[in-house]
Amino acid sequence: MPTPRPAAIALATLLCLAAAGCSEADSGSGTDGGKAPPTAQGAYPVTLKNCGRDQTFDKAPGRVVVMNGASVAEVSTLLALGQGDRIVSNQQTYGMSEVPGRAEEIKDLPTGGVKPNDTFDIPREAMISLRPDFVLSTTSYGFDAKNGFATREQLKAVGARTYISPEGCGQDNLNMTIDDSYTLLRDMGKVFGVEEKAEKLVATERQNIADVANRVADTKKPKVMVIFSNMTMGENDFSSVAAHGIYNDILAKAGGSNAFASASKTSFADLSKEKLAATDVDALVVVSYNDPDPTAYAKKLLKEFPQWPAAKKNKFVVLSDSMYLGPSNDMAVEKIARMLHPDAF
């Protein structure tokens, strides 16, 4: 996700906080332990334009590295498309998932023995030693030399293609919407030769979201606060409050609105306790990023602001990966809608 940065350490990888190219470099294949990746059925070559760069694939990548980025968008998309066997190093995890079995599936992926740097991601030297042929990053942050990472040029030189997820060409994807999740799925479908599967996933998710949106179309739009639990990204007490991005699109489809959309011009707002106390919050969405007990955080927050309508009605829901870029936004839409408008279901 690019955007938050975990706990007081600049999670220069949280939401700042997948598919890349073969014409720019040789397409490596092979995986650790001699385990062959699944055979791709797509038509090659495939070319994608990614953040101003053409990335051409002559075949499906076989040594995939997924950078952290405080996201699980890329790894979840690859798993949803059945491409987990191609991953030689994954650094993404939320510790939980709305998709049954997904958190465990992510946990079982190889890390490549990488020792993360101070921003919880793969240092330049470690990246090169993994011998990747495809590297995915949530935002351009993951390829910035100033952050100690291998650049796209350096990776190209060693035969690796690179991909930055939709709306991640900068380092703050505040314009991200649910459609970007579909773009990520489709791009990865093309890269790995599973376009038909990607289209089926997109169609199913679109229909699920449309069904929920229709149920709540004529309802009042409660003001919702979206906050990452126990995470510090700024100087104030509450610096992980979502202001813009995919969160707002999800809330709108679920029949709600963001109580703090005007509090910042970036993806996240850095707010004081006084600002929160002065705002009417009708409902609370707590997003867990490797938090062992996000429900306790939600209850503590409601207790701290008893004047909120959300506190008086105990209206909250805890989510994780479905609230961000990835193949399960429909689950967030439905869970939030059921919390906000139970009578519609």
Side-chain angles (χ1 to χ4, degrees), residues 24-25 152-160:
E24 293 202 358
R152 300 186 82 177
E153 291 77 11
Q154 289 169 334
L155 288 165
K156 174 184 174 183
V158 297

Coordinates of all heavy atoms in Angstrom, one line a residue, residues 24-25 152-160:
E24 N 13.3 -5.8 -22.6 CA 14.4 -5.0 -22.0 C 15.5 -5.9 -21.5 O 16.5 -5.5 -21.1 CB 13.8 -4.2 -20.8 CG 12.9 -3.1 -21.3 CD 12.8 -2.1 -20.3 OE1 13.4 -2.1 -19.2 OE2 12.1 -1.1 -20.5
A25 N 15.2 -7.2 -21.3 CA 16.2 -8.1 -20.8 C 15.8 -9.5 -21.1 O 14.7 -9.8 -21.5 CB 16.2 -7.9 -19.3
R152 N 15.4 0.3 -11.5 CA 14.9 -0.4 -12.7 C 16.0 -0.7 -13.7 O 16.0 -1.7 -14.4 CB 13.7 0.3 -13.3 CG 12.5 0.5 -12.3 CD 11.3 1.1 -13.0 NE 10.5 0.1 -13.6 CZ 9.4 0.3 -14.3 NH1 8.9 1.5 -14.3 NH2 8.7 -0.7 -14.9
E153 N 16.9 0.3 -13.9 CA 18.0 0.2 -14.8 C 18.9 -0.9 -14.4 O 19.4 -1.7 -15.2 CB 18.7 1.5 -15.0 CG 17.9 2.6 -15.7 CD 16.9 3.3 -14.8 OE1 16.9 3.0 -13.5 OE2 16.0 4.0 -15.3
Q154 N 19.3 -0.9 -13.1 CA 20.2 -1.9 -12.6 C 19.6 -3.3 -12.7 O 20.3 -4.3 -13.0 CB 20.5 -1.6 -11.1 CG 21.4 -0.4 -10.9 CD 21.5 0.1 -9.5 OE1 20.6 -0.2 -8.7 NE2 22.6 0.7 -9.1
L155 N 18.3 -3.4 -12.5 CA 17.7 -4.8 -12.6 C 17.6 -5.2 -14.1 O 17.8 -6.4 -14.4 CB 16.3 -4.7 -12.0 CG 16.3 -4.7 -10.4 CD1 15.0 -4.3 -9.9 CD2 16.7 -6.0 -9.9
K156 N 17.3 -4.2 -14.9 CA 17.3 -4.6 -16.4 C 18.7 -5.1 -16.8 O 18.8 -6.1 -17.6 CB 17.0 -3.3 -17.2 CG 17.1 -3.5 -18.7 CD 16.9 -2.2 -19.4 CE 17.1 -2.3 -20.9 NZ 16.9 -1.0 -21.6
A157 N 19.8 -4.5 -16.2 CA 21.1 -4.9 -16.6 C 21.4 -6.4 -16.2 O 22.3 -7.0 -16.8 CB 22.1 -4.0 -16.0
V158 N 20.7 -6.9 -15.2 CA 21.0 -8.3 -14.8 C 19.8 -9.2 -15.3 O 19.7 -10.3 -14.8 CB 21.1 -8.4 -13.2 CG1 22.3 -7.6 -12.8 CG2 19.9 -7.9 -12.5
G159 N 19.0 -8.8 -16.2 CA 18.1 -9.6 -16.8 C 16.7 -9.7 -16.2 O 15.9 -10.6 -16.4
A160 N 16.4 -8.7 -15.3 CA 15.1 -8.7 -14.6 C 14.2 -7.6 -15.2 O 14.6 -6.4 -15.4 CB 15.3 -8.4 -13.1

